[in-house]
Amino acid sequence: MGDGGSDTGEDPMLDSLICVAGSSIKKSGFIASHSTDERERRVIFVNAGGEELRRQGHSEIEVEADRFFQGGDVLRTDEEVADGGDLPSIYQSARYGNFCYEFRDLPPGDYSVDLHFAEIVYTNGPRGMRVFNVFIQDEKAVSELDVYSIVGANRALQVMNIPVSAGKDGVVSVNFQGVVGSPTVSGICIKQGAPELQLVSSGRDGKSLLCDNCFAPVKLTAAENKAARMSFTAKYEREIRELKAQCQMKQDECYEAWMSLTAANQELEKVRAELDVKFFQNFTLGQAMEKETEKMAKISSKYEHDRRLWVAAIDELERKMKAIKSEHSQLSFEAHQCANSIPGLNQMVTAVQSLGNIRVFCRCRPLNMEEASSRPQTVVEFTDAKDGDLGVLMNGSNKKIYKFDRVYTPKDDQCDVFEDASPVATSVLDGYNVCIFAYGQTGTGKTFTMEGTEQNRGVNYRTLELLFKIAEDRKKTISYDISVSVLEVYNEQVRDLLASSPPAKRLEIKQVSEGVNHVPGVVDMKVENVDEVWNILQTGSNARAVGSNNVNGHSSRSHCMICTVVRAKNLVTGECTRSKLWLVDLAGSERLAKTDVQGERLKEAQSINKSLSALGDVISALATKSSHIPYRNSKLTHLLQDSLGGDSKTLMFVQISPSEHDLGETVSSLNFATRVRGVELGPAKKQSDTTEIQKLKLMLPFCLCQLKCKDDTIRKLEENVQALEGKTKSKEQFSKSQQDKIIDLENQVELKAELCGHLEKRLSQVYEKMQRKEEACYSFQQKVKELEDRLQEQEQASSINSKAKTRELEDAVKEKSQQFQRHTEMLQKQIKMLEEELEAKQGREYMYISEPTDTFQARKVEAKPLKIEADPFSLRSLNSTSSGTLLNRGEQSILLKGTDSLRALRHKRDLQSKGPENNLFLVTPTAHKKPISAESEPSKARHLDPSRAFARISRGGKPVGSGSSAFPNRVKESDSSRVKIWLR
Ligand code: ADP
Ligand code: MG
């Protein structure tokens, strides 16, 4: 077997270092085989930490320089390494530290690996300074190798024939992992083929093994075979137990992990439940808060809305109150005024009534340019004009005084005139019929007084202007409808000055009701403002038939009559009135004798005279209170019928010239006017004035009632305001409390949010923890599964192997027992023979007492070959069975000697068969004890605490411990000091 032998048989403890079946430990260096097959099998041989080596000669060896390694450092020694074999220099270098080897590009298949070691650093020990594991293809191949402990310093050691398979990737990795200190390796040799131990039949000598290096059959006795197999079986069983323990340990760890995971899960569940509760609380709180906020918002908006409404209402009420108060004060003031003015009014009424309803104002025009230049004598005197007295100088010194309602000097302007005329004019708005006309000689200023000029407007325009103003002022109580028509009476014919085209038939005056005349077909223009009035007046003025004469080129020979109809509706009383205002610019009143006209002009003059005479007649009739008033004598009086007399008011401007030349006409006009002024109309004229006062009087209780109502309203409003203020205050308080509530809720929400954040953080932590636990658990499960798989595989493999082996062994035992039976029978026969002989000799002894020693010696010699032939098993059987018999027979000395001789024999055989290959035989002394330990072990293992067992495994000195416990006898037999070191 050469160098292929293992030293494990010598030191059974080395078995525990080897984790892979088929591998062995050899306490010497590399020895090259002579066989070429062996050379060919070497695929790679690297000198770890050293150079390339080559030895030529009989057995050629090639060792490559250090490569294929990853990591680590190089160690070298100059000291010689003992038992270095053929390549001692390999062991002088080493790779040490944290490293591994990876051999690539190997063809897939089975290989075996030899590892070469030598302790070249810790040369003085102590043991256990460097303990490491070797993994091949991640499988532990060598467990806790301490080179110094096995061979000492500077001595070679080999771990041989570690089987390994290269996969498709062609990689074989050898990994070194330190248990104590750093691992080292001096060389690695990879050989092709698996190092299998092949059992071959060897005939009657029992079975033998093939050397894993040279494949030479190794002859083994049955006992050796059995021992070898038992050793393997025990190794596997040990591994299985270790794996089981590891598995149990992992299961325990898994269980612990699972328990902690369960606990964590429970905690997590609890936290989740708590969180759910919190979430729910938060959610409900949030919902409640949302509802509250919504409610609050609604209340706020409602409050705001109400507040605005109330504020507006209060403002409105205050405003109304103010208005009412001011109105009230105004009314009281007015009422007081009214009450105060009542006596004055009464006096005025009396005065007016005494005056009559026709007033005559005399107006004298200034001298015109012509008159002024000829220095004429003025025949009028205005000394007492203020009192309505006008002096006219008749024939130089004779002065006649005329009395009128008002006398205007040439200096008096249009405003002065209108100021006095306006009350009469505006009484049309109070429902009176009014007639204002200008009478006088042509050129005395009738048109000037009535129409005026654009810059200096007369009574017509001013009257209408004032009417609109008053109507505007009274619009709250009375609504007015004002329409205007402009007529001309020329040659006793009525003409419509506003008509755009001449009428188809002559305009006639019709009486529509008692005292009311109307001219059908006359344009009645409704006017809204004074501008429209002006346009209408202009239209009428332009359309007026104008003639010329030698007295005044611009004088008109027709009567221009503006009729303003006022329809009034009292909005308080509902009373409606319709009244007329006639503004008449009469034609010149000069006498015919003075005019120098013929034909058409004469006719005009006659018509004018006629109408003016008719006017005089009417006025006279009214003055004399005649039963018949000749209104119809002329168109003029006919038209003015409803405005002359009765309840109407009349104002006459008598226009005079200051010139001496016009004295006659002036006196004539003044006389006419005086006659008119003397007319006293009926009580109707009084009625018009008292109506106003009565109206005021009537209005007074109404106003007082209104005042009272207003007072009540004000009181109610004040009460309302007070109630509103109270409500507002309560609303404000409510809003304040709601706002406080909102702030509280907001704070609560903030707190809850913080709590949520906290819980979320905690949850995430627990999640992480759980995840970690799950991962750990998962990895444990994976490991357990792997281990279980491996265990199963190994169990399967080992059970198959051990079954087969057991069967074989049983067969062998059977055979042996048969042999033993035969031997026993033979021996019994021999014993019988010997007994017979003995009996025969005993008979003779009596005769030869001095002879026994030689005979016994001779017998002992005879028995020797027999015992040599018997195998140890049969010898033991013999010892245990036959020796008892022999002892019983008092053969103690002989048997003791026999036992001694057996030992001697065994020793001798040991010496004879001593060689490297006999390792299996060397196992024998212990092998027979193994079954005992193997039988007792499982029961022990069963009662062993798995966790403790695993704990021992995982600790440094454990494998030795487990090894020693697995082989108690062996520990006793081996060096006790070594056991102690290994335990460290
Ligand atoms: P009648 O209409 O009576 O024929 P007018 O009105 O045409 O008279 O007046 C004749 C002239 O006398 C006009 O030029 C007018 O401007 C002027 N006149 C008349 N009265 C006055 C007066 N009070 N102040 C100034 N001028 C006057
Ligand atoms: Mg005129």
Side-chain angles (χ1 to χ4, degrees), residues 442-443 445-448 544 554-556 585-586:
T442 298
K446 296 185 294 295
T447 306
F448 183 79
R544 191 175 177 189
H554 299 287
S555 285
S556 169
D585 179 11
L586 291 171

Side-chain angles (χ1 to χ4, degrees), residues 609-776:
N609 264 342
K610 186 189 168 190
S611 60
L612 288 177
S613 302
L615 183 64
D617 292 343
V618 166
I619 289 170
S620 293
L622 287 168
T624 55
K625 294 177 184 168
S626 167
S627 58
H628 173 70
I629 313 291
Y631 289 111
R632 293 176 179 242
N633 285 355
S634 74
K635 296 285 178 199
L636 174 73
T637 50
H638 198 184
L639 280 170
L640 293 175
Q641 185 179 354
D642 48 10
S643 304
L644 283 174
D647 58 349
S648 62
K649 294 182 179 186
T650 307
L651 172 64
M652 177 182 154
F653 287 100
V654 58
Q655 301 285 142
I656 54 167
S657 163
S659 172
E660 189 184 15
H661 298 290
D662 299 320
L663 182 63
E665 285 302 323
T666 299
V667 171
S668 170
S669 295
L670 288 171
N671 288 337
F672 182 81
T674 306
R675 192 157 57 112
V676 169
R677 193 174 176 262
V679 172
E680 270 195 39
L681 299 177
K685 64 171 185 184
K686 291 176 191 172
Q687 197 184 355
S688 64
D689 280 342
T690 48
T691 314
E692 202 174 343
I693 295 156
Q694 269 174 349
K695 265 185 187 172
L696 278 171
K697 277 180 182 172
L698 280 170
M699 271 175 79
L700 200 61
F702 175 72
C703 285
L704 287 168
C705 183
Q706 260 194 336
L707 206 64
K708 206 179 170 190
C709 283
K710 297 277 176 188
D711 279 339
D712 288 344
T713 320
I714 285 165
R715 207 177 312 117
K716 273 180 193 170
L717 286 171
E718 276 174 350
E719 280 170 10
N720 270 348
V721 166
Q722 272 178 355
L724 282 172
E725 276 174 357
K727 267 188 185 177
T728 312
K729 264 183 195 170
S730 66
K731 289 268 176 188
E732 272 172 2
Q733 272 179 349
F734 180 68
S735 132
K736 209 177 173 185
S737 70
Q738 289 293 325
Q739 276 173 351
D740 288 348
K741 241 185 186 178
I742 284 175
I743 289 163
D744 270 6
L745 285 169
E746 277 174 354
N747 287 339
Q748 271 184 32
V749 167
E750 259 176 45
L751 275 174
K752 292 285 163 192
E754 263 178 43
L755 196 73
C756 267
H758 210 66
L759 284 169
E760 274 172 8
K761 220 187 261 176
R762 213 170 136 195
L763 187 68
S764 66
Q765 279 174 0
V766 171
Y767 266 129
E768 275 174 26
K769 214 169 152 186
M770 198 180 78
Q771 232 168 344
R772 279 204 296 276
K773 294 264 179 187
E774 275 175 0
E775 276 170 17

Side-chain angles (χ1 to χ4, degrees), residues 201-467:
S201 174
S202 62
R204 75 177 185 79
D205 292 336
K207 305 215 168 157
S208 52
L209 290 169
L210 276 182
C211 173
D212 47 6
N213 286 327
C214 63
F215 295 94
V218 179
K219 283 185 182 175
L220 291 176
T221 62
E224 283 167 349
N225 265 329
K226 190 180 174 189
R229 276 182 186 91
M230 291 299 250
S231 163
F232 278 121
T233 312
K235 198 173 152 190
Y236 283 125
E237 279 172 349
R238 198 169 62 240
E239 277 178 17
I240 288 163
R241 275 197 303 279
E242 278 175 18
L243 284 168
K244 272 184 177 171
Q246 275 183 19
C247 183
Q248 186 61 40
M249 177 71 184
K250 293 286 172 195
Q251 272 180 350
D252 288 349
E253 276 179 22
C254 277
Y255 179 72
E256 271 175 34
W258 177 252
M259 287 311 284
S260 68
L261 183 69
T262 312
N265 274 339
Q266 278 173 353
E267 203 183 327
L268 185 69
E269 275 308 309
K270 242 190 248 175
V271 171
R272 267 186 188 158
E274 210 177 306
L275 194 68
D276 281 348
V277 170
K278 293 281 172 196
F279 268 132
F280 182 71
Q281 277 179 359
N282 199 19
F283 179 69
T284 46
L285 259 175
Q287 270 190 336
M289 211 190 71
E290 260 175 39
K291 270 183 196 169
E292 283 297 317
T293 315
E294 223 170 271
K295 240 181 176 176
M296 192 60 219
K298 269 184 195 170
I299 288 166
S300 293
S301 66
K302 196 171 175 279
Y303 165 73
E304 196 58 34
H305 180 73
D306 286 356
R307 199 180 62 81
R308 248 181 271 136
L309 276 180
W310 286 120
V311 166
I314 288 166
D315 286 350
E316 180 67 18
L317 282 172
E318 278 177 353
R319 200 179 56 75
K320 273 184 183 171
M321 257 170 67
K322 257 186 204 171
I324 288 165
K325 273 178 182 173
S326 69
E327 209 177 322
H328 175 246
S329 61
Q330 181 69 27
L331 277 169
S332 355
F333 177 71
E334 278 175 13
H336 281 294
Q337 268 192 338
C338 280
N340 292 338
S341 63
I342 285 168
L345 270 170
N346 286 339
Q347 280 176 3
M348 210 167 83
V349 165
T350 320
V352 167
Q353 278 174 349
S354 67
L355 280 171
N357 64 345
I358 185 160
R359 258 147 281 175
V360 180
F361 296 166
C362 177
R363 188 179 191 187
C364 178
R365 70 161 172 82
L367 288 169
N368 58 33
M369 302 289 280
E370 194 184 330
E371 290 162 345
S373 60
S374 62
R375 292 188 184 178
Q377 289 272 318
T378 48
V379 289
V380 285
E381 197 187 84
F382 302 103
T383 321
D384 297 315
K386 280 181 186 170
D387 300 327
D389 289 347
L390 175 78
V392 179
L393 297 170
M394 308 280 191
N395 305 318
S397 58
N398 190 17
K399 182 176 143 189
K400 190 180 175 184
I401 302 291
Y402 289 92
K403 191 156 179 77
F404 296 105
D405 296 305
R406 197 74 84 224
V407 174
Y408 302 102
T409 66
K411 286 176 188 172
D412 291 323
D413 61 5
Q414 303 280 61
C415 290
D416 299 326
V417 172
F418 183 69
E419 198 180 323
D420 298 323
S422 61
V424 179
T426 54
S427 62
V428 71
L429 294 175
D430 300 325
Y432 293 94
N433 288 336
V434 179
C435 178
I436 299 172
F437 58 88
Y439 178 90
Q441 184 190 356
T442 298
T444 51
K446 296 185 294 295
T447 306
F448 183 79
T449 297
M450 296 310 285
E451 284 182 21
T453 59
E454 199 168 349
Q455 294 77 33
N456 209 1
R457 289 181 177 169
V459 172
N460 293 353
Y461 181 81
R462 287 173 194 265
T463 299
L464 285 159
E465 191 182 38
L466 187 61
L467 288 185

